[in-house]
Amino acid sequence: MDILKKQYLNISLLIFLYVFSWSGCIGLLALWLDRVVKINDSKIGLIFGVNAICAIIIQPIYGRVMDRYGLKKHILYIVALISILMYPFFKFVYAPMIVDHLYTAIILGGVYIGMGWAAGIAAFESYMDKFSDTINKEFGSIRMWGSLGWAAGSLFSGVLFNLSPYYNFILGSVVSMLTIPLIYNINIRLKTTTEAIVIDKDVVKKVLIKETLLSRDFIHFCFYVIGIVCIMAVAEQQFSRYFVTFFSTREVGASIFGYLSTLQCVIEFFMFFLLPKFVNKIGARNGLLLVGLIVTTRMLFTGLTDSYIVISILKPIYGIEISLLLVSTFKYISEVFDKSVNSSVYLIGYQAVSQVSIAIISPIVGYSYLEKGFGATYIYLSVAVLAFTLISFFLLAKKNEVKIIYGVQQ
């Protein structure tokens, strides 16, 4: 087996285990806060909002370090070590502190989840994008293993949650330990043109980043992120709580939610494998717009249905949305922006901007759940996504447009 294939298998297993370790925690976090910690809708919304704010602060730092050091593994080690602390943090720090010192706990939890997951998964994805360039692989062919990891974790996360709300955290800590040797074994030392683009030690000058962040295309991309990516994330935050209400008992609902989350991730797995060719054919811009239309449709039907069958069909469609979104996003960033700032564009323009929006919108949506109900709120969100999608049709850059970027004709 040649070295490139070994490295591909190594990083694929790494992202599989990393996402697997967090799947039970993040997928059922709202349900855990509701049933175990026993806090209401608006406070859960506040928690997700603060988590987003903390991620906003952390993501640009991660992005700057990764653009500066290319494929060096500093951030990956930090994220892995934080992930190992999952069980002791949630069991002995976060849960007791929420009861006695709510707002301090919310901030501390935001920092932990931000470093370990919200900014952590973004850093892993950005690293995979750079890594895929060096071995001439599509980003999706690596990222799909993360979806499989989420599928494997979700398969029994609902059952584990019913047995004990802390079993998923224990599993997360144990599995995270396995990521350390895999990170250590990543060893790419290629001297190719591609590497010169993504692993230049002197790359990423402050002027280039400043010009990027002030460019029209970056601002338009951020507008799309605010309207579609943010609302997708906010809608998913407490979806598990809405989903379980369609079933005879919450325990049955939690188990089925876990099984459907697995199906969703299996769909993601295959979509990440198939979608790169599809997006290459229709264009990254059109891929992003298509995501907006799919999200609009799914949220509208989520708000209108009262059938457990329909809500169960709608749940896995998120797998198509997120895989199409990520493949299109990385291709769009590669087409429109300078490669040397790809990590910064992704971690600031996509991740940080979406987290800023989530921080603002989460408490509002949480209040709407409380006052208007889940169904009505999802209908409102579907209308908002449609409006942002239509406006983005006129704002997002087309691949065949000739632009002057950073003083160079592209």
Side-chain angles (χ1 to χ4, degrees):
M1 186 183 297
D2 62 61
I3 186 170
L4 292 184
K5 189 171 183 179
K6 287 181 180 178
Q7 289 299 306
Y8 168 73
L9 293 175
N10 187 83
I11 199 168
S12 297
L13 182 56
L14 171 62
I15 189 61
F16 174 90
L17 292 177
Y18 169 70
V19 175
F20 179 94
S21 69
W22 279 94
S23 59
C25 168
I26 297 302
L28 296 173
L29 182 59
L31 202 59
W32 179 78
L33 290 168
D34 178 27
R35 289 178 54 184
V36 179
V37 187
K38 301 186 184 304
I39 57 179
N40 63 31
D41 296 333
S42 59
K43 288 181 179 177
I44 292 174
L46 178 61
I47 285 174
F48 282 111
V50 172
N51 289 352
I53 292 173
C54 293
I56 292 161
I57 298 169
I58 298 163
Q59 283 163 347
I61 298 172
Y62 279 5
R64 182 68 182 91
V65 172
M66 294 180 73
D67 275 334
R68 176 66 182 86
Y69 293 103
L71 287 176
K72 290 189 175 179
K73 300 171 285 187
H74 308 76
I75 299 299
L76 301 188
Y77 277 120
I78 291 172
V79 173
L81 291 172
I82 290 170
S83 301
I84 290 171
L85 299 175
M86 190 183 304
Y87 170 66
F89 176 79
F90 280 96
K91 173 69 173 179
F92 302 109
V93 179
Y94 194 43
M97 191 175 286
I98 286 178
V99 176
D100 299 324
H101 306 284
L102 176 64
Y103 296 107
T104 302
I106 288 175
I107 294 172
L108 184 61
V111 172
Y112 176 81
I113 294 172
M115 294 184 70
W117 176 253
I121 183 61
F124 266 81
E125 288 171 343
S126 182
Y127 190 92
M128 286 184 291
D129 184 50
K130 290 178 181 290
F131 186 94
S132 64
D133 279 346
T134 67
I135 61 174
N136 296 317
K137 287 273 188 181
E138 287 280 2
F139 163 78
S141 68
I142 299 176
R143 179 59 178 80
M144 67 184 190
W145 295 103
S147 298
L148 192 62
W150 191 280
S154 300
L155 181 62
F156 43 81
S157 62
V159 175
L160 287 178
F161 184 87
N162 289 333
L163 293 173
S164 169
Y166 288 100
Y167 281 174
N168 283 308
F169 298 124
I170 294 172
L171 182 63
S173 289
V174 172
V175 172
S176 295
M177 295 178 187
L178 303 177
T179 63
I180 297 294
L182 292 173
I183 295 172
Y184 177 80
N185 285 331
I186 294 175
N187 184 27
I188 289 292
R189 291 291 183 270
L190 301 179
K191 301 300 179 183
T192 65
T193 303
T194 301
E195 185 192 28
I197 294 173
V198 299
I199 320 177
D200 184 353
K201 293 183 179 179
D202 297 320
V203 74
V204 193
K205 296 181 173 67
K206 291 182 180 179
V207 173
L208 182 56
I209 293 178
K210 183 178 179 180
E211 289 180 354
T212 301
L213 301 185
L214 294 176
S215 69
R216 181 187 62 183
D217 288 332
F218 181 80
I219 294 170
H220 291 172
F221 176 64
C222 290
F223 179 86
Y224 173 88
V225 169
I226 292 168
I228 286 85
V229 180
C230 164
I231 295 178
M232 280 178 64
V234 170
E236 287 301 303
Q237 285 174 345
Q238 299 197 45
F239 181 75
S240 60
R241 296 183 61 233
Y242 180 49
F243 183 87
V244 298
T245 64
F246 283 77
F247 298 87
S248 57
T249 67
R250 291 181 179 272
E251 287 73 22
V252 171
S255 296
I256 294 176
F257 184 84
Y259 299 141
L260 289 175
S261 294
T262 298
L263 175 60
Q264 169 192 310
C265 295
V266 171
I267 291 172
E268 281 183 36
F269 176 81
F270 288 107
M271 288 297 101
F272 273 120
F273 180 75
L274 298 172
L275 282 174
K277 291 183 179 179
F278 174 72
V279 174
N280 285 339
K281 184 174 181 179
I282 68 169
R285 173 182 176 274
N286 291 334
L288 292 175
L289 295 173
L290 181 58
V291 170
L293 295 178
I294 297 173
V295 173
T296 298
T297 304
R298 184 175 68 91
M299 287 190 185
L300 179 61
F301 280 97
T302 297
L304 292 174
T305 188
D306 58 1
S307 166
Y308 73 91
I309 295 175
V310 174
I311 201 73
S312 297
I313 293 172
L314 292 171
K315 164 62 180 166
I317 294 176
Y318 183 78
I320 300 174
E321 294 171 5
I322 194 65
S323 52
L324 179 58
L325 174 65
L326 286 175
V327 170
S328 299
T329 293
F330 278 106
K331 288 185 179 294
Y332 183 83
I333 290 173
S334 179
E335 290 174 4
V336 176
F337 303 100
D338 191 293
K339 265 196 174 294
S340 63
V341 294
N342 275 7
S343 286
S344 290
V345 170
Y346 178 65
L347 287 165
I348 298 175
Y350 180 96
Q351 290 290 343
V353 168
S354 66
Q355 296 296 341
V356 169
S357 308
I358 290 168
I360 296 171
I361 295 176
S362 288
I364 299 172
V365 173
Y367 179 78
S368 181
Y369 288 147
L370 193 62
E371 294 296 317
K372 303 294 183 180
F374 280 93
T377 301
Y378 279 115
I379 293 174
Y380 300 151
L381 293 176
S382 71
V383 173
V385 171
L386 179 60
F388 275 93
T389 302
L390 292 175
I391 297 171
S392 295
F393 176 82
F394 299 99
L395 296 181
L396 291 177
K398 296 179 181 179
K399 183 177 180 180
N400 60 356
E401 288 179 340
V402 177
K403 306 182 189 64
I404 303 298
I405 305 178
Y406 320 126
V408 179
Q409 183 169 317
Q410 304 243 327

